[in-house]
Amino acid sequence: MSVFRSTSQRDFNEDDEEDDNDENKASDFVSFRTISPGAGYVPDFESDEEDGDKDEVEQLLADAEDRHGFHTVRKEVVKPHKPLVGVEFDPAWNKKIGAVEKTPKPPQQDEDSPAEEVDSEPEDYIDHASPRSWIEEVDFECESEVTSDPESEYDAPPDFESDSDSDAQDDKPASSNPVDACVTRMTLSQNVTIEYPDRYHVDPIRAVTWSQEKRAAELRDITLRFMEKMCTDIYLLVDKRDRKKVLVFDQSDEAVVTFSVKVNKDEKDVGYRYEARIKNKSNWVTRMAYCKGDEIKFHATEVESFYIVKIPIKETEIIQPEGNTLSFKHSGGVSMDMPSQTVEMPQPIAMQLSNVDKRAMVKRHSLFPEKFKLQKVSQRLFVQHDIEKFNKAFSVKLDLESFRDIDAGPLEPVAILWNDGEPTIKSKAECSLSQEANRVVMTMKNFPNKSGLSVGLVAPGKMNQDEAKLAYADVFMCKITIHIKIVNPQEATVYINCIMIENLPSLLDQYKPLWLIGISEDFYLKNFQRIRIHLSGNSIRKRSSRQKVLNCFIVFSNRARENCLSFRIDKDTRMGGCPNTVLDFSLDSGSKRKLHRQEFDPWMLVGRKPGCFDKSSVFTLSKGQTFVGLKTPRPL
């Protein structure tokens, strides 16, 4: 039985006073009628018919209008309905009284619309989230075959930090299957390429290395952790006008947006994993990377800058109470022999191996053999565990790698113990060492948590601790070179390079047309360490038209093509000035510590050609001293 009743304004107000918290309420249709003046009749009705109730109401209203000449304004108020006890509703009635709220569908983006490019004054972004059908001036290839090579497929782990706003992707068309997508390959530089789905429009961009100004401004708080090694320089994406750009793709396409960087074969070490450190619009994030062929690849959907590091793989073994031998899957050069009852119950132990920077060490030994005491060294073993005590002594076997082919004379084995990244050298008399051909065996009673061990053979004499760090590329042996070019009697250009000693001969050949003012003594630097340079005396620093701020730093990176700072200087013609130009160099990490000081008079070189003096007479124009060990000066 269908129920319909018409109420007056008074009835409706009374209904509103009922309890609104009741979950089940009846549905009231309220008709408000505005009657013309003079009309004295208001129809009121109630029908018990099951069908046609609404038609009767409409008919009555139409008759009333015809007879009395008034117009009716109806307002329908809908409340949640509840079934009435003892009353059967027609199923079709629920469809009539159910209020449906329709949300307008957001406009779909055109499939062939170009990507949106957002430019800002300090920083420019390219938003490539919109699809495309073609791209100009870029060669692309369509991959139609599906490969089963697991290295060619990538699934982003769920715990990766998002590169873009996921809320912005809700109304965009779903990404096509990665294996079915056509892929565009764009070359960003000689060593960098990018692959992305063909439906994106990407304007021509390039990948350039960071300038010294950018390193000085943005790398102050960035450091590498112990055992992390740089594989590439830091790259920045720029447009054809050299303005900084940010590439942005749909996050759902992360598995098919691939950056590839060519690296030297020495960087593809077995036993290492790779990470891409990526700067997006706001901060630095980390993504997994992998090696394929002569390239290291990673996937990301929002990139402004990036570089790649490698970290030793961590392997976990179990020390058994009955005794066992612990070794690495990827290296046979290191093993640990645990006798029975070394531990009372099975204990897990995590191990990592740092490889020797053999190529660089061989080159250093060939150029400057007199500088080094360490002639052979093993891989560095690093352990992590929760073992409070080792009950018995155990042995560690480590194979040695040599840096030169000729016999260096009698050598003594040493143990190098590592704690918090710093080495301690122990002689054979201070620890139990035995040498068997090209292998050294060390007997240990304890191996502390988060500590390391390596062994080596050294020439007679005391070995520098930094030389041990140099063998694993924790630090680098460097020099400072200063060259100058006379532009006119009142102006000159100074070139300051922080160069690793193995690259010094090639740099000196490159700068032969310029005056060599001075070369510092050797000192050790870590990646991203800053050197502050201060100019004083009879020369004034000149700022170029393109510079907003004068940069006075060199931020060192062993993977940078050059660590050079160049600037113009003018002759200071004020009376009572200093007769020489002075360059002071200091390390800018923590408290400022003096590194080197160079005094020279560039204006004495006016009218002379480089190379017209022999070496001894050139250095009469310049005088420098390096603070060896950052404490005592040593003259050049």
Side-chain angles (χ1 to χ4, degrees), residues 422 469 474-476 524-529 556-557:
E422 295 297 325
K469 295 193 282 187
D474 294 339
V475 297
F476 304 90
Y524 292 93
L525 282 181
K526 295 180 180 179
N527 268 316
F528 301 155
Q529 265 193 299
F556 174 77
S557 170

Side-chain angles (χ1 to χ4, degrees), residues 185 191 260-265 268 290-297:
R185 182 180 179 91
N191 298 323
S260 303
V261 187
K262 289 184 179 180
V263 295
N264 298 328
K265 61 180 181 179
K268 298 181 292 182
Y290 60 94
C291 188
K292 186 176 181 181
D294 61 347
E295 295 178 329
I296 297 178
K297 299 175 178 287

